[in-house]
Amino acid sequence: MIIVVGNIKGGTSKSTLAVNLAVEYRRQGSKVIILETDPTVSTASQWAADRENTDQPGITTVRKTGRLGNTIDDLAAAYDAVIIDTAGKDSTELRSAAHRADLLLVPTSTSVADLDTTRIFLSWMDEARDMNPKLQMLVVISKAPTWWHSNHVEIASEALAEIPEDIEFSLADTVIYHRNIYAQALSEGLSVIESDNPKAKAEIQLLAQEITNLLTTAEEEEN
């Protein structure tokens, strides 16, 4: 399973989702590696280093920039789950990874600017299917407001539904809410899976299961 977490907009929780999903898949028994491809930011690598100071099992994390095809092939042969954390911009790394991935996970906040950028990004990445027909694209709403009377998620979902039908993607049922525990756990080398916050833990576990179900269904349809 090769998952690329990407968007051309920064600050959408790409690294946060990458490390939390890595911990969840490892908890399920998968052999997991994180491939960090941002040449200027080392969020995942720093998280992995901080994790060495905890009593939790380590998550192998490596950095690589430039074209990634051969590296991804090698990692996919050795690991059950390869999670690729990309920079918040269009890049050689992002496009190279998309050509090998099973899934492109696209986090977006509910802001108009992020939604507009996500629509553009999806149209660009839909072209990756010319090289990689199996590629699935899954958008997940992240950093959603937690106040009970907010309608941001509904508005964001409606905006994403207006994307032309010829751009094939799925919108995750799971919503990742803006919870302090995500930043706190990240800074300590931990995952919300290992926290005492049941809501954040459930969000990551539900998203991980959605990803697994989507890829399993796609594989069955292909066969």
Side-chain angles (χ1 to χ4, degrees), residues 27 45 51 67 100 133 139 151-152 182 190 204:
R27 186 194 67 81
S45 293
R51 192 170 178 82
R67 297 188 182 278
R100 290 294 199 279
V139 175
N151 63 348
H152 286 67
Y182 282 106
L190 298 172
I204 294 299

Side-chain angles (χ1 to χ4, degrees), residues 23-181:
V23 172
E24 171 58 14
Y25 284 125
R26 189 191 186 286
R27 186 194 67 81
Q28 294 179 13
S30 294
K31 188 177 181 182
V32 180
I33 188 168
I34 298 172
L35 176 59
E36 185 174 56
T37 67
D38 189 335
T40 59
V41 178
S42 55
T43 304
S45 293
Q46 184 60 56
W47 173 85
D50 292 339
R51 192 170 178 82
E52 294 298 322
N53 298 320
T54 74
D55 59 359
Q56 299 295 335
I59 301 290
T60 303
T61 303
V62 297
R63 288 177 61 83
K64 178 72 165 63
T65 58
R67 297 188 182 278
L68 304 173
N70 291 337
T71 297
I72 293 172
D73 289 344
D74 291 344
L75 293 178
Y79 291 87
D80 301 314
V82 180
I83 299 179
I84 305 171
D85 185 21
T86 63
K89 62 180 180 180
D90 189 16
S91 66
T92 298
E93 293 84 3
L94 174 60
R95 290 180 180 265
S96 178
H99 290 162
R100 290 294 199 279
D102 299 303
L103 177 83
L104 174 62
L105 180 65
V106 185
T108 180
S109 80
T110 59
S111 74
V112 173
D114 278 18
L115 291 168
D116 287 344
T117 301
T118 296
R119 282 194 287 265
I120 295 169
F121 179 60
L122 289 171
S123 67
W124 289 357
M125 298 313 296
D126 189 60
E127 298 174 4
R129 291 195 173 104
D130 291 339
M131 296 288 292
N132 181 11
K134 70 177 182 180
L135 180 66
Q136 301 290 315
M137 296 196 296
L138 180 66
V139 175
V140 58
I141 295 173
S142 65
K143 292 187 173 181
T146 56
W147 23 289
W148 68 270
H149 58 288
S150 169
N151 63 348
H152 286 67
V153 172
E154 290 77 6
I155 292 174
S157 299
E158 291 171 1
L160 291 167
E162 294 176 359
I163 294 176
E165 292 183 0
D166 60 334
I167 300 175
E168 296 182 11
F169 74 97
S170 300
L171 176 61
D173 292 328
T174 305
V175 175
I176 306 298
Y177 285 89
H178 189 23
R179 306 185 192 279
N180 293 335
I181 187 62

